[in-house]
């Protein structure tokens, strides 16, 4: 065979064998590679003059046909081989380790949260509920001076006084049970039930001695608290007192109905020296249904307070609050004369203790021939300016020395306006203050016994300095128009159990004589 024939035979063999053979694991790629090699070899034979162009074209056509057939066979084989095969994308080892660590952390966190493997585990939502409660047993002695005016004299001018001469000894009990629920990280809900009744907003006491009858339980709190951002709190419902205060203006048992907002930047930062705060709220006092024969408008309280807490060191703390409390539509309006409709009867307060200046709303109450009890309304308007200051010194830690000063003035008292509306010329008595010194543990931690506290104070509260309905219900047996001192103390007997005693002695500032001494002995337990 000549050299030319051998080259031709080699070219044909290369084309045929290259197109027909390939490794099974990568058949398609090898077919394409051999086909390309065959083309290059045929072109080389043409360039060397070994092969004519016509013959080369024929060989090229045959090689392409065989390559196409082989490619089809390879694709069919791949389809058959891939049946039931799952292809997995390659993942680098570093990515695998990162995924494993992330999954491990998530599983561990969930296991801790849901207490996997803990036979005593409870559902996670139970941990978001916090119960709190306390019970107090009290002996109270009300002691009256023989020189007091009789209660009928007070009742004749509308004052809510039932006893002024007969000493009284009472055994009383108070129970409070509350539940706080953390709905989410930014929302809390709270409810509390107590002993008491729905006619006295400033007392939760239940007097013993009801011939074995059971006691009432009332809903004392029901609120939502939102914290959309740090240091900002929004309250709504029947809420705890949101203001920095003493019992000069607000009784300790009083809760507020309405909405409030408080902003205290840095309040939770123990190292911060200056901690300002602002609180405001709107609280409906009495919703009056508008109907024929009624002209009284809804009664409201709108309030705001701003203040600053200064903590110069771990041994001293000062806190100042300045508040303004404006009551709307609480002043009484006299009915037209003659009247039988009670047009402005609802301008009288729903609840009052004693002390505030009053006048008769229904001045012609007996014109229909019946002996109706007169309806009394408040003579002045009440817009209270209030300043509260607390200085806390802890040089003898854990014993503290705490001084408290509280001052209030009714800047809404307008003598001429009262005269025009009521026909009475009332002398202004619009100031009040309270000073108190406390030595001992500032608050019982309830974690150990032998904690103690002692205090002494003086209180002076003129007739119309504050609304008598909401001030302290114990001193002078509640209300305004009194002055006197207080002394008392507390001692922790056991963990969460303590004994306390108070003595309060007071006299009237003006008007009918009324002197009251009050003694309270309490046994308290917190749970």
């Amino acid at each position: 065979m000549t050299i030319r024939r051998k080259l031709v035979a080699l070219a044909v063999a290369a084309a045929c064998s290259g197109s027909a053979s390939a490794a099974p694991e990568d058949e398609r790629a090898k077919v394409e590679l051999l086909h390309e090699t065959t083309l290059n070899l045929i072109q080389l034979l043409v360039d060397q003059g070994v092969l004519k162009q016509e013959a080369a074209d024929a060989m090229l056509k045959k090689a392409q046909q065989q390559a196409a057939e082989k490619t089809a066979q390879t694709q069919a084989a791949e389809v058959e081989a891939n049946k039931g095969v799952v292809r997995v994308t390659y993942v680098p080892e570093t990515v695998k380790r990162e995924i494993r660590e992330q999954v491990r952390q998530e599983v561990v966190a969930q296991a801790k949260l849901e207490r996997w493997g803990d036979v005593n585990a409870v559902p996670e939502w139970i941990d978001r509920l916090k119960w709190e409660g306390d019970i107090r047993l009290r002996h109270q002695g009300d002691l009256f001076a023989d020189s007091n005016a009789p209660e009928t004299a007070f009742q004749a001018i509308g004052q809510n006084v039932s006893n002024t001469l007969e000493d009284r000894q009472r055994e009383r009990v108070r129970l409070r049970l509350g539940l706080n629920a953390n709905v989410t990280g930014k929302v809390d809900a709270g409810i509390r039930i107590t002993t008491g009744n729905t006619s006295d907003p400033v007392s939760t006491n239940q007097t013993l001695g009801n011939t074995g009858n059971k006691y009432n339980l009332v809903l004392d709190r029901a609120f939502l608290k939102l914290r959309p951002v740090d240091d900002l709190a929004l309250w709504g419902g029947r809420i705890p007192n949101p203001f920095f205060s003493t019992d000069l203006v607000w009784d300790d048992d009083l809760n507020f109905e309405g909405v409030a907002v408080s902003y205290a930047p840095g309040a939770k930062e123990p190292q911060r020296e200056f901690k300002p705060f602002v609180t405001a709220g709107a609280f409906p006092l009495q919703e009056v249904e508008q109907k024929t024969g009624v002209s009284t408008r809804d009664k409201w309280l709108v309030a705001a307070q701003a203040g600053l807490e200064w903590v110069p060191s771990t041994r001293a703390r000062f806190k100042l609050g300045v508040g303004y409390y404006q009551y709307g539509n609480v002043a009484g309006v006299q009915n037209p004369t003659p009247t039988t409709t009670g047009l402005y009867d609802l301008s009288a307060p729903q609840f009052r203790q004693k002390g505030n200046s009053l006048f008769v709303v229904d001045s012609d109450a007996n014109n229909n021939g019946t002996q109706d009890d007169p309806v009394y309304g408040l003579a002045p308007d009440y817009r209270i300016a209030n300043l509260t200051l607390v200085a806390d010194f802890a040089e003898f830690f854990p014993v503290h020395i705490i001084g408290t000063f509280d001052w209030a003035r009714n800047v809404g008292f307008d003598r001429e306006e009262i005269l025009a509306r009521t026909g009475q010329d009332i002398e202004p008595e619009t100031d009040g203050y309270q000073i108190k010194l406390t030595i001992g543990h500032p608050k019982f931690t309830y974690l150990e016994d032998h904690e103690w506290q002692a205090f002494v104070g003086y209180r002076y509260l003129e007739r119309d300095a504050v609304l008598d309905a909401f001030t302290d219900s114990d001193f002078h047996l509640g209300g305004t128009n009194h002055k006197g001192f207080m002394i008392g103390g507390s001692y922790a007997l056991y963990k969460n159990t303590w004994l306390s005693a108070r003595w309060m002695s007071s006299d009237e500032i003006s008007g009918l004589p009324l002197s009251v001494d009050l003694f309270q002995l309490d046994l308290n337990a917190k749970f």
Side-chain angles (χ1 to χ4, degrees):
M1 184 180 293
T2 64
I3 296 176
R4 178 176 295 183
R5 289 182 179 274
K6 288 182 179 181
L7 287 173
V8 171
L10 179 62
V12 173
C16 295
S17 62
S19 302
S21 64
E25 65 273 13
D26 202 357
E27 194 77 16
R28 183 184 301 177
K30 289 190 176 183
V31 168
E32 292 176 355
L33 178 61
L34 290 174
H35 178 61
E36 184 179 355
T37 303
T38 301
L39 295 180
N40 291 335
L41 180 59
I42 292 174
Q43 186 62 44
L44 176 63
L45 293 174
V46 173
D47 293 342
Q48 294 295 326
V50 177
L51 201 65
K52 290 184 179 180
Q53 187 65 49
E54 293 81 1
D57 291 340
M59 293 176 62
L60 180 61
K61 184 176 181 181
K62 182 178 179 180
Q64 289 174 340
Q65 290 176 351
Q66 292 180 347
E69 293 174 359
K70 186 59 178 176
T71 300
Q73 294 174 1
T74 302
Q75 290 176 345
E78 287 180 354
V79 171
E80 184 66 24
N82 288 336
K83 288 183 177 180
V85 176
V86 178
R87 296 185 177 274
V88 179
T89 305
Y90 172 72
V91 180
E93 190 63 30
T94 56
V95 177
K96 292 180 180 178
R97 287 196 297 268
E98 292 177 0
I99 293 174
R100 282 196 296 267
E101 180 62 22
Q102 182 178 356
V103 171
R104 187 189 70 82
Q105 293 177 358
E106 292 177 354
V107 171
V108 170
Q110 185 176 1
K112 289 181 179 180
L113 181 64
E114 299 180 359
R115 300 177 180 177
W116 295 357
D118 185 355
V119 296
N120 297 317
V122 296
E124 175 272 337
W125 60 268
I126 293 182
D127 289 336
R128 294 186 282 110
L129 304 179
K130 180 181 178 182
W131 293 91
E132 60 181 10
D134 64 86
I135 185 170
R136 182 182 69 196
L137 304 179
R138 166 174 288 178
H139 167 75
Q140 178 169 317
D142 307 336
L143 309 176
F144 301 98
D146 293 338
S147 58
N148 289 347
E151 59 268 18
T152 54
F154 288 92
Q155 295 165 1
I157 57 175
Q159 295 298 326
N160 187 19
V161 177
S162 60
N163 180 23
T164 62
L165 295 171
E166 299 295 330
D167 294 347
R168 186 179 186 187
Q169 305 295 328
R170 286 182 283 178
E171 317 306 324
R172 317 186 84 181
V173 63
R174 181 188 71 181
L175 171 68
R176 300 186 296 191
L177 181 62
L179 172 64
N180 294 315
N182 179 234
V183 181
T184 68
K186 296 182 179 295
V187 180
D188 291 321
I191 60 173
R192 187 171 79 173
I193 57 175
T194 71
T195 49
N197 56 65
T198 58
S199 60
D200 189 346
V202 292
S203 177
T204 53
N205 291 312
Q206 172 65 54
T207 300
L208 279 63
N210 293 305
T211 319
N213 285 328
K214 302 174 181 64
Y215 302 147
N216 293 323
L217 286 178
V218 295
L219 185 62
D220 190 41
R221 290 178 183 172
F223 63 86
L224 286 176
K225 181 181 180 181
L226 283 68
R227 295 182 299 275
V229 297
D230 290 343
D231 305 320
L232 178 67
L234 306 174
W235 302 72
R238 184 171 172 84
I239 67 176
N241 182 356
F243 302 106
F244 170 56
S245 61
T246 73
D247 58 12
L248 183 73
V249 180
W250 308 117
D251 185 89
D252 291 338
D253 288 321
L254 180 68
N255 291 287
F256 287 67
E257 298 173 314
V259 294
V261 56
S262 62
Y263 180 61
K268 297 181 180 179
E269 300 175 16
Q271 302 302 322
R272 184 162 179 167
E273 183 175 353
F274 294 99
K275 302 177 183 180
F277 62 91
V278 178
T279 304
F283 311 99
L285 298 178
Q286 182 182 355
E287 189 272 331
V288 179
E289 182 182 2
Q290 298 300 312
K291 58 185 179 180
T292 303
V294 175
S295 294
T296 304
R297 294 177 292 175
D298 293 348
K299 302 175 184 180
W300 282 81
L301 167 63
V302 178
Q305 184 184 59
L308 177 68
E309 183 177 8
W310 177 37
V311 187
S313 69
T314 58
R315 300 293 184 178
R317 181 181 68 91
F318 303 89
K319 190 171 184 179
L320 173 69
V322 178
Y324 181 74
Y325 310 113
Q326 178 168 320
Y327 294 91
N329 305 323
V330 298
V333 179
Q334 196 168 37
N335 285 330
T337 303
T339 179
T340 58
T341 62
L343 188 64
Y344 293 107
D345 282 2
L346 291 180
S347 67
Q350 278 186 313
F351 173 78
R352 54 188 171 88
Q353 297 191 75
K354 63 178 183 294
N356 287 162
S357 297
L358 305 173
F359 75 103
V360 178
V361 169
D362 55 343
S363 58
D364 196 26
N366 298 326
N367 70 327
N368 59 356
T370 63
Q371 191 64 33
D372 295 333
D373 291 333
V375 177
Y376 290 92
L378 298 172
D381 280 310
Y382 289 86
R383 297 193 295 273
I384 313 301
N386 179 226
L387 182 147
T388 306
L389 174 65
V390 172
D392 186 346
F393 302 96
E395 290 296 332
F396 307 100
F397 183 86
V399 174
H400 289 232
I401 300 175
I402 304 172
T404 304
F405 175 76
D406 202 6
W407 170 86
R409 171 177 290 177
N410 179 12
V411 297
F413 190 97
D414 186 334
R415 188 172 184 175
E416 294 182 357
E417 188 276 334
I418 294 172
L419 178 62
R421 177 166 46 85
T422 69
Q424 298 185 23
D425 185 14
I426 300 176
E427 192 76 22
E429 297 181 27
T430 58
D431 286 310
Y433 64 87
Q434 180 171 282
I435 303 172
K436 188 176 181 181
L437 176 66
T438 303
I439 300 176
H441 294 79
K443 289 184 178 180
F444 287 179
T445 62
Y446 310 118
L447 298 178
E448 58 183 59
D449 52 12
H450 305 308
E451 293 180 327
W452 61 275
Q453 183 185 100
F455 67 86
V456 62
Y458 182 80
R459 180 183 177 104
Y460 182 93
L461 191 61
E462 292 183 337
R463 181 182 303 278
D464 294 311
V466 300
L467 200 67
D468 68 22
F470 299 142
T471 188
D472 181 31
S473 62
D474 290 326
F475 197 90
H476 205 63
L477 292 177
T480 61
N481 189 26
H482 57 243
K483 59 183 178 180
F485 71 90
M486 66 197 82
I487 188 171
S490 300
Y491 183 77
L493 300 174
Y494 310 103
K495 177 182 176 181
N496 298 326
T497 306
W498 69 103
L499 189 69
S500 60
R502 288 198 298 174
W503 176 270
M504 293 168 279
S505 182
S506 60
D507 301 298
E508 81 291 342
I509 295 176
S510 64
L512 297 172
L514 180 62
S515 297
V516 182
D517 291 337
L518 185 71
F519 175 69
Q520 294 174 335
L521 179 64
D522 300 336
L523 178 61
N524 306 271
K526 184 180 177 67
F527 53 89

